[in-house]
Every structure is written in structure tokens, then in C-alpha cells.
Amino acid sequence: MFSSSGRHASWTAKLLDAQGRPRAGEVTVAPRRSENREGDLRHDALLLGALSRTLDGMPVFPPLRSNRQELAPTVARLNAAYFPDDPIALEGLSALYFNTSFAPGLTPPQAKALLEWTRAGGHLIVAVDQPGDVAAVPWLKKNLPADFGAVISSPMGGEFQRWILNMTNLPPAPAVTPKASGKSKTPTKKITPTYGSGIRLTVDSAFENSALPLVEATPRGGSVVLQLQDKPLLIEAAHGLGKISVLAFNPEREPFRSWENRPWFWARLCGVPPTLIHATSPANYGGQSLDAIFGALIDSRQVRKLPVSALVLLLAVYLAVIGPVDFIWLRRVNRTVLTWITFPLYVLLFSALIYFIGFALRAGKTEWNELHVVDVFPSGERAELRGRTFASIYSPSSTKYPVAADPACAHSAWRAEFMGSSRGRESGARMDIVQRGINFQAQLYVPVWVNQLAACDWWRTAPTPLALEVTQRGDTLDVKINHASGNPLQNVRFVARGRVHELGTISATSPRQFTLKTAAGIELTNFVNLAGANFQNVVQFRGQAFGDANRARLDNDSTSAMAASFISLLNPRSDRPYSDQLFIAPAGFDLTPVVKRGDAVLLAWDAGHSFINPLNQFPAKLGARNTLLRLAAPIKQEAVNTTE
């Protein structure tokens, strides 16, 4: 379930059968809370799902030094029998630990959901228990970036320790050996001093001198991150917008399961910042909603706001009329008793005036606007499309409007606008949603003369609309774009090596080739900060009932939507990388990690077109539909011939 507000969210639910008859009574559901806030996690807290064989072998994270437990990285054990078969349902997870012993038991829809979630930006951590688990499951063998052989044992010799310490970017500190009794045969432990960063690790010689059972792994399209005596232990590879990390050993078995520094291993693997763990007073985490940016792009322009100065003037005139003007006038005519009649007349007069002003500023026609942000994952002639549809409705009367998913979608879900992490700020949306299997139907209540934003998340399979090939030769990028959507693409931009290149318009079904210099174009950070310089002000004005309506709008649709695709680069703070976010983006929306890992991204504006049917099941006299296509691809390296 999706919470549209930062806090105090609740849902009222009932279970219906196929005929719409209730089978379970109405129940109110709310997130678990307690006085010490255990179980209540912030949106930006790391949540690791775990399909583990054993309870004590589950991943675990170091405890926070502060009392801000809502920020603590958390592990939730999942039940394989109830594992979701919908990738949208997995997007609440930051990462997922998966033991290969569960692979044969997953159904095809569950396996597909797992891979699609990873492709859309998830982090899948796979622990190989037995090589036969991978060989016997085609979907797993095909997608893991390694081939596996026999199970062997290898002495560790401190490799795990050194890999963890690299997290701090500090050189290893000299070990301090405590005095041990001559009678004791227990291996001594070496304690490293406390680093300036606050990390304190225990060097367990018993663990480091033991042999680790591992599976021989040969990388296939991935890179070795950690190895023992030339034996890969951790292999990582990109998978769409996400990545797959393969552990060539089972962390649920000894000796790893009893290792004292095991929490720090998982922290490093999942990307938990050390500053979060040992900060005594973490900064306030949160930000404004990215949904509001798209609302500012597509909200109806029929709505105008009353300037604050006009409101103050109207209030001053009203107070003057019902006060001194009424008193002086009735006193002159010596009829002060008539105030019992004049006062209600003034109220009626000003009420009519306020209604007339509101009608003049806000009255209009029913309008429905859709902006689709679609990630393309090609697979031959077909492609998986991960779409996010932002829909804004303007209503000239208080009524309910029906919306429904496109039956062509494999998965879809409907949600209200996210209002950000501000305390006490609630979404004004009122809606009834019926989720029928993989699709939905909903009734959206919209008050008179307002814009209301909602969003639809969906997946579908379709003919590949866009393909991208990138090859780098020295300081030159050869870019090949195949376009088959049937519509001309406008304002096409290509992002690679930290720079943005303008490619202009690409005509329908016309393949194009470009040769670009890596140093050309504009820096990506500059592009985002220039295009998004007004995002914060616009979002703040959009939430105000009075003021200048123009200050609550964004007019450059394509450029603003493209800049929002790298929202974490907007005024970044390198000294506090895990806090003070300006905007909260849905999982997998931000493409910044994709560019930072070295891939290229193509952004294209498809005006007047979408890849799903309209969601509105009612006539709208005004409206628009546009699509932002996003496609990531690896950059192939080709050696430059320097022979003269």
C-alpha cells in the first residue's frame, strides 16, 4: 500500500469476491507504531528483504549510535510462499537478499517479478548455496553474471576485513594485540583502534584463519569486487537500471554466520553510509515530493489564484463596511437599530462577491492531462515498458470521476499524489480503489474548481519503441538510435560521461547515427541545476491557495521532466550525502546512479502520444497526453588504432 502523506497514514479495506460481495468485514489498517518508534521506518531508511534459509543467518546491520531508530537500516524476512508476483509490490525494498535454495520453488510469475524489479532499479543480492541450485533453474542461470563449478574451501586471511575498511577510505590502522593467558588455547583477537570515522572493527583471528566454503565462479559480464586467492567471492553486474550482486558463498553457514563483523559486511554491500551509523545526531531527513514537479507541469491553466494583496484589500473593505461605515451611516439617519438588518445584508453581499470572484478565477471545463515517464528495457523485437503516469484532473463541479487501468498492462496500480515528508501534511485526495488481480478500477472524488494529481504505476510488454547502441573510441562516442514508435521524437538528449548532448528531433521510424565528443555538451549537474533552479519555489507556490498562479507552474515540459530524472543532482551536498534531500523520488525513478556507474542514457520527448490507453473513463473537454522515453545502455569500449 502507498502512503500519500509523510505520517499518520491509514487505509480502510474490505475483501470482496468475484461478484463484489463482501467476504471479510471492513478493517482499518495503519503502519505499526510504538513510543520508541520501532517498526516505523522513514521512506529513505534502507529496507532489505530477505529470502533466507535460516533465521539466525539473515543479514544484519550495525546499530545506530543515535536514538533515531526510524532511520536505522532494517531487514525483513520474506516467506517464499507469499512472495509477490508483482514487481510494483517490491518497490518498497531498497535491496533483496535471495538464497538460491529458494529458486526451484519460485513460480514463473514470482521469478519474473523479481527480475523486473531488479531491472527497474532494484538491488538483488544472490547467495549461491549449491551450484546445482543455479544449474537447475534456467531463469536464474541466464541472468546471473557468472558460471559456477565445484564447491571448494579457501583460507580467508583478512580479505573480508580489508574490504570492509575500504568503506571508510582510510588506510588500515596498526593492530593492537591484547595480552593472552599462557594457559588459554583460544585464538587471540586483535582489536583495531577507533578510527576517526567512528568505525570499530574486531579482527577475529579464529575467523580469518579458518577456511571458507565457496563455489568456484567464473565471471560472465560482471566485475569481481571481492576475491580470496584469485577465487571470486563477490561479483556485481548491471541489470537494467539496477544491479545484481552474486555471493559465491553462503553467508548463512559457518564460519561467516558467527563472524563479529558480519553487520559491517552487509552495511558495505548494501551501501549504508558509515556517517549514518555512528552519527550521534543525524540531520533531519526528508524533502519535498517529486510528484509536485509533475503536477506543476500538467495542472490545468484554467485555475487562477487570488493575489494575497487583493485578499487583504477585500478583507479590509469588509471589516470597514460592517464596522465604522455601517455605524456612521446608521447613526446619521438615526436608525442604529437597523444594524440587525444591514449586517446580514452585508454578509450576503460579500458572500456573493466572493463566489463571483471565485467563479471568475476558477470556473472552466473538465480537463484531464497525462504525462507518462516510460523506461524502456529492450529484449529483441519486444521490450518491457515500466511506466509512471502522472494524471491531473480539473473539475468544474464536486463529483466523482471513474478511472481504470489499461487491460494491456501486465501490472498496474493507482495511487494519490505523495505530499512529501512534512509532518501533518495530508493528501487531499479521496478515492475508492478496487484492485482486481493485476489491474484496478477507481473512483476519484474531486472538489469544485481544483486541480487534483494522482499517479499510475504500470508494466507492459510491447514492440520495442527505441533502441540505443553506444561505442566509445578514445574521446569520441558513436551513438546509434533506432526509433520505431511511429512518432517523431522531440528534444532528444543523450547523457554520457557526466555530460548532456542535444540531439534535436528524430523523425518517425528513422534510424540515426551521431558522433559526439566526450567533452562536448553541458555538464549534467549544470543542466539539472539550470533546468531545476525554480523547482523548489514552484512546488511551494503550488501548495498555496492564494498568490500568483504563474509562479506555481512549469512551462518547459520536456526539459523539466528530463532534469527531474536526475533529481538527486539538484544542489547536491557532498558533505552530507545521505540527508537533506530536496526532493523525494519514487524508487527507481532517479537515473543518477546509472550515469555514475558509466552507462549512457537517452531521453526523448514523444508529444501527443502514450503507450497505454487513456486512464480516464469519462469525457473531458480539454486534455493533453505526452510521454518522456528513457533508455539506458552500456558504453562499449573499442580500442583506437594508433599505428602510423
Side-chain angles (χ1 to χ4, degrees):
M1 295 181 290
F2 182 88
S3 174
S4 60
S5 61
R7 295 177 180 269
H8 314 303
S10 64
W11 299 265
T12 301
K14 63 178 69 174
L15 182 64
L16 308 177
D17 62 16
Q19 285 72 40
R21 297 172 299 193
R23 300 303 299 268
E26 193 171 279
V27 60
T28 299
V29 183
R32 180 182 54 169
R33 280 187 181 85
S34 61
E35 292 300 324
N36 60 3
R37 305 196 58 78
E38 291 181 358
D40 185 13
L41 300 179
R42 286 290 301 248
H43 73 93
D44 40 10
L46 187 141
L47 180 59
L48 173 65
L51 278 171
S52 60
R53 293 186 59 186
T54 60
L55 185 61
D56 58 350
M58 285 177 54
V60 62
F61 293 109
L64 298 189
R65 293 181 60 186
S66 72
N67 59 357
R68 298 286 300 279
Q69 292 307 306
E70 71 272 19
L71 302 174
T74 305
V75 183
R77 192 181 188 195
L78 305 178
N79 189 316
Y82 304 126
F83 190 79
D85 57 4
D86 185 344
I88 299 173
L90 292 171
E91 290 189 353
L93 297 176
S94 307
L96 176 65
Y97 166 74
F98 178 76
N99 191 296
T100 57
S101 61
F102 289 101
L106 289 188
T107 65
Q110 288 174 324
K112 185 177 180 182
L114 180 63
L115 293 175
E116 287 180 341
W117 167 77
T118 308
R119 191 176 291 116
H123 181 194
L124 178 61
I125 302 170
V126 179
V128 181
D129 185 41
Q130 297 292 332
D133 295 339
V134 179
V137 183
W139 67 265
L140 186 62
K141 181 179 180 180
K142 176 183 177 182
N143 289 280
L144 292 189
D147 296 316
F148 302 96
V151 178
I152 61 174
S153 294
S154 178
M156 285 175 285
E159 289 298 326
F160 281 100
Q161 184 88 348
R162 284 188 285 272
W163 184 70
I164 293 174
L165 293 179
N166 286 337
M167 184 186 343
T168 65
N169 295 320
L170 294 174
V176 178
T177 306
K179 295 182 180 179
S181 172
K183 297 180 180 180
S184 175
K185 295 183 179 180
T186 304
T188 61
K189 293 185 178 181
K190 298 181 179 181
I191 310 298
T192 60
T194 300
Y195 287 85
S197 59
I199 296 179
R200 186 178 181 89
L201 298 180
T202 300
V203 182
D204 190 344
S205 58
F207 168 76
E208 295 185 356
N209 293 330
S210 60
L212 179 72
L214 59 90
V215 180
E216 288 187 315
T218 303
R220 175 169 43 85
S223 58
V224 177
V225 178
L226 174 63
Q227 61 184 5
L228 290 180
Q229 298 183 353
D230 298 329
K231 302 294 183 183
L233 273 183
L234 173 58
I235 301 171
E236 291 188 346
H239 188 76
L241 303 181
K243 70 176 180 179
I244 296 178
S245 299
V246 178
L247 301 177
F249 65 98
N250 189 347
E252 301 178 47
R253 298 184 184 275
E254 297 292 356
F256 187 88
R257 185 174 64 179
S258 301
W259 185 34
E260 296 183 33
N261 290 326
R262 181 167 63 108
W264 283 105
F265 173 85
W266 289 108
R268 168 77 194 272
L269 182 59
C270 295
V272 179
T275 53
L276 172 68
I277 296 175
H278 44 246
T280 55
S281 300
N284 290 324
Y285 288 59
Q288 296 173 306
S289 169
L290 187 75
D291 289 0
I293 295 177
F294 288 91
L297 286 171
I298 64 176
D299 280 346
S300 173
R301 270 43 176 174
Q302 298 181 81
V303 175
R304 290 172 292 168
K305 297 182 180 181
L306 183 68
V308 177
S309 57
L311 176 64
V312 173
L313 178 62
L314 182 63
L315 181 60
V317 172
Y318 174 70
L319 294 176
V321 169
I322 66 174
V325 172
D326 180 71
F327 176 77
I328 294 173
W329 175 66
L330 292 178
R331 188 174 180 181
R332 283 187 176 183
V333 297
N334 199 22
R335 294 288 190 273
T336 56
V337 71
L338 294 180
T339 188
W340 297 102
I341 298 175
T342 58
F343 187 83
L345 291 177
Y346 296 146
V347 173
L348 291 175
L349 175 64
F350 276 90
S351 297
L353 178 61
I354 291 173
Y355 178 84
F356 175 78
I357 293 174
F359 184 85
L361 292 176
R362 292 178 172 263
K365 302 177 181 179
T366 304
E367 183 174 349
W368 176 265
N369 297 314
E370 293 180 357
L371 197 161
H372 307 263
V373 180
V374 180
D375 291 312
V376 182
F377 305 106
S379 180
E381 296 183 355
R382 308 288 290 179
E384 293 289 335
L385 304 182
R386 168 58 172 103
R388 297 175 177 87
T389 299
F390 298 92
S392 178
I393 181 173
Y394 167 79
S395 176
S397 61
S398 297
T399 186
K400 287 186 176 181
Y401 294 90
V403 295
D406 185 348
C409 293
H411 303 281
S412 60
W414 180 260
R415 66 173 177 85
E417 175 186 359
F418 179 54
M419 305 305 293
S421 61
S422 301
R423 293 191 179 188
R425 187 182 180 193
E426 300 284 349
S427 170
R430 290 168 51 191
M431 57 184 67
D432 297 323
I433 305 173
V434 178
Q435 190 74 31
R436 299 184 182 276
I438 58 177
N439 290 317
F440 68 87
Q441 293 178 334
Q443 291 278 346
L444 181 63
Y445 175 78
V446 184
V448 63
W449 299 343
V450 302
N451 283 309
Q452 188 155 296
L453 183 72
C456 174
D457 293 89
W458 52 269
W459 280 85
R460 70 162 298 186
T461 303
T464 302
L466 201 60
L468 173 67
E469 293 183 11
V470 185
T471 304
Q472 181 171 354
R473 297 180 178 88
D475 61 350
T476 300
L477 293 170
D478 292 337
V479 182
K480 182 178 180 181
I481 302 173
N482 287 321
H483 171 216
S485 70
N487 298 303
L489 300 180
Q490 305 170 3
N491 299 332
V492 181
R493 290 182 170 95
F494 175 76
V495 183
R497 303 305 187 215
R499 304 192 73 83
V500 181
H501 304 265
E502 304 277 351
L503 302 185
T505 300
I506 298 180
S507 59
T509 66
S510 175
R512 293 285 303 275
Q513 291 188 351
F514 300 88
T515 300
L516 308 172
K517 292 291 185 180
T518 55
I522 181 176
E523 287 190 11
L524 177 59
T525 302
N526 291 342
F527 169 78
V528 173
N529 281 283
L530 287 172
N534 203 32
F535 281 179
Q536 279 188 293
N537 291 333
V538 167
V539 170
Q540 290 174 356
F541 281 109
R542 180 175 177 268
Q544 297 176 1
F546 302 97
D548 185 356
N550 292 325
R551 301 179 70 178
R553 296 169 180 166
L554 292 170
D555 295 322
N556 196 337
D557 295 4
S558 60
T559 301
S560 297
M562 291 176 185
S565 297
F566 303 94
I567 196 64
S568 61
L569 293 178
L570 187 62
N571 297 328
R573 295 188 59 178
S574 59
D575 58 324
R576 300 164 83 174
Y578 201 61
S579 64
D580 296 339
Q581 301 177 38
L582 292 180
F583 288 94
I584 300 171
F589 187 91
D590 187 12
L591 297 179
T592 304
V594 179
V595 176
K596 286 185 175 180
R597 77 186 183 195
D599 286 0
V601 173
L602 184 68
L603 305 169
W605 188 254
D606 193 352
H609 177 255
S610 68
F611 291 87
I612 60 173
N613 292 324
L615 300 174
N616 57 307
Q617 306 299 300
F618 58 89
K621 296 183 179 180
L622 299 174
R625 302 170 69 200
N626 297 301
T627 298
L628 172 62
L629 289 170
R630 313 192 311 178
L631 175 59
I635 300 178
K636 302 176 183 178
Q637 297 287 341
E638 185 171 305
V640 179
N641 187 1
T642 58
T643 303
E644 296 183 0

